[in-house]
Amino acid sequence: HLSTDEYLQERYYFQLNSIANGVGQREFLYNELPIFGVTDPTFFMVESDQARGINCRFGMKGIIAETHYDSSRNFIVLMGGKRRYVLAHPKECPNLGLYPMHHPSGRHSAVDWIQPDLQQFPQFATAQLNEVVLQAGDALYLPTSWFHFIVSLNTNYQCNARSGTTYENEHHLAQCGFAIPPQ
């Protein structure tokens, strides 16, 4: 946890995106990070023809990405520093206190995962979660619809790419009022 002084300190977060297949303004990302520019299917980039570009994020200690799910496969590589990922299988959605589908924060949890209010969200106490700390050089594969909460543990940077959607967890999200739109 952050001390009061650390909490009140200014934090910076920077994001750099490239469009799919390295065409356009930021194609240098594909030259620098060829692991994301595959043209043949790999373990991580299963449907390379459905790649959605490279997203690189740079953050300081204490930066948080609130709990949410993505509707495509996600391949993450931590390039420097450390990040804590707390993960939940889509079947946990009834326990995660999700905002409704059409809410501006749809796909996100209303629960503060650092200090959950179990009076307001008692079902969160039964959620089955997994935690991993990624360090420089580590990779993480998130299947479609897996929930993730991210905390920067120090100054760090990561790049990720998404490729294709799978539907094996769609029935879990449907229980919570969400459905993956057909492609």
Side-chain angles (χ1 to χ4, degrees):
H1 291 325
L2 298 174
S3 69
T4 302
D5 288 341
E6 288 175 319
Y7 183 77
L8 295 175
Q9 171 189 347
E10 277 190 51
R11 289 182 194 76
Y12 298 94
Y13 176 84
F14 175 72
Q15 183 171 330
L16 178 65
N17 299 328
S18 146
I19 59 173
N21 301 318
V23 178
Q25 267 185 325
R26 301 204 173 91
E27 78 181 86
F28 71 88
L29 282 174
Y30 281 91
N31 295 333
E32 296 296 322
L33 302 166
I35 191 170
F36 294 111
V38 298
T39 54
D40 296 318
T42 68
F43 178 74
F44 292 110
M45 296 298 286
V46 180
E47 294 179 83
S48 54
D49 61 323
Q50 293 184 29
R52 297 179 58 195
I54 299 173
N55 302 294
C56 295
R57 295 172 172 87
F58 307 81
M60 298 174 65
K61 180 178 181 177
I63 296 290
I64 292 172
E66 295 295 348
T67 307
H68 67 284
Y69 74 88
D70 298 314
S71 58
S72 57
R73 299 177 185 102
N74 200 344
F75 169 39
I76 303 156
V77 176
L78 198 69
M79 312 300 259
K82 292 182 184 180
R83 282 190 180 195
R84 175 179 170 234
Y85 283 76
V86 182
L87 310 171
H89 188 283
K91 71 181 177 186
E92 294 298 324
C93 73
N95 301 321
L96 302 181
L98 300 181
Y99 288 106
M101 183 172 185
H102 297 293
H103 186 279
S105 293
R107 296 184 309 113
H108 288 75
S109 173
V111 178
D112 175 349
W113 281 33
I114 292 177
Q115 294 183 320
D117 180 345
L118 297 179
Q119 296 292 325
Q120 185 176 1
F121 302 102
Q123 72 283 9
F124 187 74
T126 64
Q128 298 289 310
L129 308 174
N130 299 294
E131 180 178 346
V132 62
V133 174
L134 296 184
Q135 300 178 54
D138 289 343
L140 176 66
Y141 173 74
L142 283 179
T144 301
S145 303
W146 273 64
F147 292 90
H148 47 291
F149 171 75
I150 309 165
V151 180
S152 291
L153 299 178
N154 58 14
T155 300
N156 62 77
Y157 57 104
Q158 68 140 68
C159 294
N160 72 293
R162 295 186 197 142
S163 85
T165 299
T166 59
Y167 300 93
E168 70 273 6
N169 293 308
E170 186 173 29
H171 63 286
H172 295 302
L173 295 179
Q175 293 181 71
C176 299
F178 293 85
I180 299 171
Q183 303 239 338

